[in-house]
Amino acid sequence: MNEVLLLQGLVGGIVFGAIYALIGASLNVMVGVLRVINFAHGEFILAGSFFAYAMLMGLGLNPLYAVAPVAVLFFLAGYGAYFVLIPRLQRSDEPETSSFLLMFGVSLMMIAVLTWIFEADIRPVNFSFDPINVTLLVVEDAYGPGRDGRVIVPTARIVALAVNALMIIALTWFLYRTLTGKAMRAAIMNRDAVQIVGIDVHHLSATAFGLATAIAGVTGVLLAMVVPSVDPNGGPPLALVGFVVIVLGGLGHPVGALLAGVLFGVVEQVATVMLPQAAAQMLGFVILIAVIFFRPSGILGLAVSR
Amino acid sequence: MSDTVLEVQALTKRFGGLVAVDGVSLEVRKGQIVGLIGINGAGKTTLMNCVNGIYRSDDGQVRLNNADITRKTPHEIALAGVGRTFQVPRTFRRMDLIDNLMVPLLHTDASDADLTARAEDGLRQVGLYELRHNHGEELSGGQQKLLELARVIMLDPELILLDEPFAGVNPSLCRIMLQQIEKLRDASKSFLLVSHDLTSIYRLSDHLYVLNQGEIIAEGLVEDVQNDPVVIEAYLGN
Amino acid sequence: MANVVTSSASSAGHWLRPDIVRQLIWYLLIVVLVFWCITAPSRDANLSLYFSFMMWITLASSLNFIAGFAGYMPFGFVAFYGLGAYGTGIAVKVLGLPIWLGVPCGAALGVAFALLVAPSLRLAGIYFAIVSLSLAIICQRVVALLPEWLTGGSLGINLGVVADREHGYYAMVLVLVGVLVTASWLARSRLGKALKAIRDDVEAADAMGIDVARSRLKAWLLAALFASLVGGVDAWFTGAFDTQTAFDVLVTAKTVIYAMAGGLGTALGPVVGAGVLVWVDDQIWRAFPVLNNFLLGLLIVVLILFAPRGIVGSLMQRFPRLRRYVM
């Protein structure tokens, strides 16, 4: 085991962990406020990636410029989609299971549309910052005398991490300092109570759906910067990351999801360095099942009771 | 002592830091209707859930006919002779009424025809026979309460736990409910009755316990409890 | 207040009693269906279409055992199908068994897996869904990690040489008959009633003396048995599979959709749903090959929003009298 590789894995882990944190946070807003288990979350994220890809190919713009338009457009799309999809759902026999199925259908539709527009191949996202890479650390004589090891990170990843951190700060501020954010947290804790206090639940829910969609879209843009390629079939693994993170962090607990996301990212990236690839890919699911069986309330110990 | 059906000894149930039931002891004898009253959140339903095994109690013992049932699962306790109804009626909403009443009979060896006949008879007794092909979800709230009672009767338990049997039930259905309860009592079934409708509970109960913040604060005959200053204070506040 | 579902004028004992009519309709349907499928080869019909017709009816009906009767929606249902295929393939390729013995081996593997993961049934609603989905993915990855001499690696397993397509077709007819007979038994049996009680309210069922864990385990194993049988027989008929096709999440998706479209909780529902939608799916494929999955997704969305109880379920809700004639 090499010190440089481990450090490289750790840095990658933080970059990916921040992405996972965002995925978990947005999915958690949806699950918490709306009780919608969004199977299509991966495709929401992919749609963001493809938006950035399309801007790059069509207008030659760096994906960084996609952040703002994606945030606005996705918020509006999510706000509108809420009224089409969700209110009817509450009338079914089992809203949670139905929501999972419903979003399963949405996911199939989105994959089909993405495949139709962009075709089924994995496409590279060719853009660059200047300089391309940043050397974080030089370990002298890491590979023997005179052969130094370097911990190198692409600049794009550092930029993505910075944007990511800003998003997390903004989201936390929103949830804890603004009235709408507080109402959302209240709705996570007790949906019925919110109705009694006279909050417009539809507006609040639609806002939450829009917010979660917007964060997912921006996450997609950042993901396209971190892993510069797009694949229409890459959604389900992302949704599953989301599930791992929210189960790990506690269903309906936004801050828990942030912590769990970073933790999971670090573990996964370090595991990729140390284990065979297929085994590392399985790790997340094994963790997920272990947590559900042994600590169903998540690492912060707060659960949304059923 | 041989006629004691249910004996609860120093039962405790905690949820995190909250002690919902705190060292409660009580006793129900054969053919007795025992009332359990207390304001909302006093721990009445929690106690009931501990007795029938839905909750696992943290401490204490539940004995049925002198046999320990504390650690048994709900279905084992049901088959041992404890039936219950729920505060919010929980009928099987997408099964017809006959099937609803057949559920407690499924474990028996009787023939299917016999089961159907018994279920139909059970529906007749509570006046729901005409609706026998309807689904549980198509009944009114009061009818669902009656259906639950009929369902418990099918189980033929020695002890019946009734959680708010009269809440939201209109007077004419209430009368049927009362008749049924009295009839069962005359057949020497025992009851633990939870309610905050004091009129009916005073009328029915042979013995009364008052629960407040998870503890029994008074017990005795109805007249004694009615005039107990501690009880009046707990109900009316100070 | 309830509308009274009136009982028909005929008195008990009359041969037109609803329960007898109900069974007549159902068994007649089975006989016609099976006859129609069994004579397809001699009619020179499109065997692939008939095969997928039978396959999806079987899958949807077996999903119904656990989802419709017991109320557990297994989003990783494809795991049974995939393990059935791999169990069959390995038994034939590595152990050298004849294919008709290989299929039961595949079924045994699927049922063994179902037993292994049975503790997940303790989980409530969405946790069960997530765990079930993850388990199917883990299954796929584990199979992909196994040595190539066992599972054929990324090329998968090819049974084309040893497996006769037409025999595979008749094997599917047998499995179909098996699942339909099981479904009709379950619809009338005490186990079926116990499962429905569990679906409607677990705690109340438990308090009424139903052994919840035992009953749902039985439904789970039955569902796994038939799904893995289908996996094996499909491998027999198609001749080749790999980890992508055997564990394709679309298998779960279609099974769930077909079962729901017909209506979960009745024996008839999944048969109607799969029957209608396999035909619709085929038409869509012909007309719009590109947008096939889009329309499939749209269909799910519309179904969930506008007819969550499916064709049969919605009809029964609308016309309560029908209930007594539907198995």
Side-chain angles (χ1 to χ4, degrees), chain C residues 124-143:
Chain C
I126 199 56
Y127 282 112
F128 175 75
I130 296 175
V131 164
S132 163
L133 187 65
S134 310
L135 281 171
I137 293 169
I138 290 179
C139 253
Q140 180 184 34
R141 303 266 161 95
V142 167
V143 172

Side-chain angles (χ1 to χ4, degrees), chain B residues 105-137:
Chain B
L105 300 172
L106 293 176
H107 68 277
T108 61
D109 297 328
S111 71
D112 286 1
D114 188 28
L115 254 52
T116 312
R118 277 157 77 181
E120 287 179 343
D121 192 48
L123 287 172
R124 265 186 215 104
Q125 290 190 27
V126 293
L128 291 174
Y129 181 72
E130 286 303 304
L131 299 169
R132 64 191 179 285
H133 295 300
N134 282 78
H135 279 191
E137 64 187 356

Side-chain angles (χ1 to χ4, degrees), chain A residues 37 39 85 88 93 96-97 100-101 104-105 109 112-113 116 240 278 281-282 285 288-289 292-293 296 306, chain C residues 75 120 122-124 126-127 131 133-135 137-138 141-142 145 253 256 260 290 294 297-298 300 305 309:
Chain A
I37 315 299
F39 189 87
L85 295 175
R88 280 197 81 93
D93 294 324
E96 279 187 357
T97 309
F100 203 76
L101 268 173
F104 193 98
M109 289 165 74
V113 170
W116 187 50
L240 279 159
Q281 283 175 343
M282 249 177 353
F285 303 110
L288 176 71
I289 291 169
I292 287 185
F293 274 105
R306 287 174 44 87
Chain C
F75 283 95
S120 65
R122 286 202 319 247
L123 302 168
I126 199 56
Y127 282 112
V131 164
L133 187 65
S134 310
L135 281 171
I137 293 169
I138 290 179
R141 303 266 161 95
V142 167
L145 274 175
V256 170
M260 279 199 64
V290 185
F294 179 84
L298 186 65
I300 305 181
L305 292 182
R309 285 187 179 182

Side-chain angles (χ1 to χ4, degrees), chain A residues 18-289:
Chain A
I19 298 252
Y20 295 168
L22 272 189
I23 298 178
S26 52
L27 190 59
N28 225 343
V29 167
M30 220 172 250
V31 175
V33 179
L34 302 153
R35 306 286 186 273
V36 167
I37 315 299
N38 189 9
F39 189 87
H41 213 65
E43 282 71 35
F44 283 29
I45 296 166
L46 280 189
S49 301
F50 274 97
F51 195 96
Y53 173 73
M55 275 181 69
L56 178 70
M57 300 312 281
L59 307 170
L61 289 174
N62 188 302
L64 192 55
Y65 293 106
V67 169
V70 162
V72 174
L73 287 175
F74 276 53
F75 177 84
L76 294 175
Y79 191 93
Y82 166 84
F83 290 97
V84 179
L85 295 175
I86 311 302
R88 280 197 81 93
L89 206 58
Q90 311 299 343
R91 277 189 255 161
S92 74
D93 294 324
E94 278 155 63
E96 279 187 357
T97 309
S98 301
S99 75
F100 203 76
L101 268 173
L102 175 79
M103 299 316 279
F104 193 98
V106 172
S107 138
L108 282 180
M109 289 165 74
M110 289 181 69
I111 295 174
V113 170
L114 289 177
T115 315
W116 187 50
I117 302 177
F118 298 96
E119 294 174 1
D121 325 325
I122 302 175
R123 302 291 186 85
V125 181
N126 286 316
F127 72 99
S128 59
F129 285 94
D130 186 38
I132 296 179
N133 293 313
V134 177
T135 304
L136 284 186
L137 191 69
V138 180
V139 181
E140 280 179 27
D141 300 338
Y143 302 104
R147 296 167 63 202
D148 296 345
R150 288 164 197 281
V151 180
I152 296 172
V153 189
T155 313
R157 290 194 172 186
I158 293 181
V159 175
L161 185 62
V163 177
N164 201 327
L166 282 176
M167 297 269 301
I168 288 173
I169 292 167
L171 180 67
T172 313
W173 173 82
F174 171 79
L175 285 173
Y176 286 85
R177 286 283 176 271
T178 67
L179 203 59
T180 317
K182 285 177 184 170
M184 274 181 201
R185 284 195 304 124
I188 289 172
M189 286 170 210
N190 191 337
R191 221 178 133 71
D192 303 328
V194 172
Q195 263 161 325
I196 298 165
V197 219
I199 292 173
D200 180 351
V201 176
H202 275 309
H203 174 67
L204 185 74
S205 303
T207 309
F209 202 88
L211 180 71
T213 311
I215 299 173
V218 174
T219 310
V221 177
L222 299 181
L223 194 63
M225 294 168 72
V226 170
V227 186
S229 69
V230 284
D231 171 11
N233 293 309
L238 293 174
L240 279 159
V241 165
F243 289 130
V244 173
V245 169
I246 61 174
V247 167
L248 212 57
L251 217 55
H253 196 276
V255 177
L258 295 177
L259 284 178
V262 176
L263 189 70
F264 179 55
V266 170
V267 170
E268 188 201 58
Q269 290 301 307
V270 172
T272 317
V273 178
M274 297 169 73
L275 299 173
Q277 199 196 357
Q281 283 175 343
M282 249 177 353
L283 187 71
F285 303 110
V286 175
I287 294 179
L288 176 71
I289 291 169

Side-chain angles (χ1 to χ4, degrees), chain C residues 9 28 50 76 93 123 145-146 160 167 171 214 231 237 242 248 261 280 308:
Chain C
L28 203 65
Y50 275 81
K93 280 281 183 186
L123 302 168
L145 274 175
L146 290 175
H167 291 170
R214 250 179 101 104
F237 181 78
D242 57 33
D248 190 348
V280 170

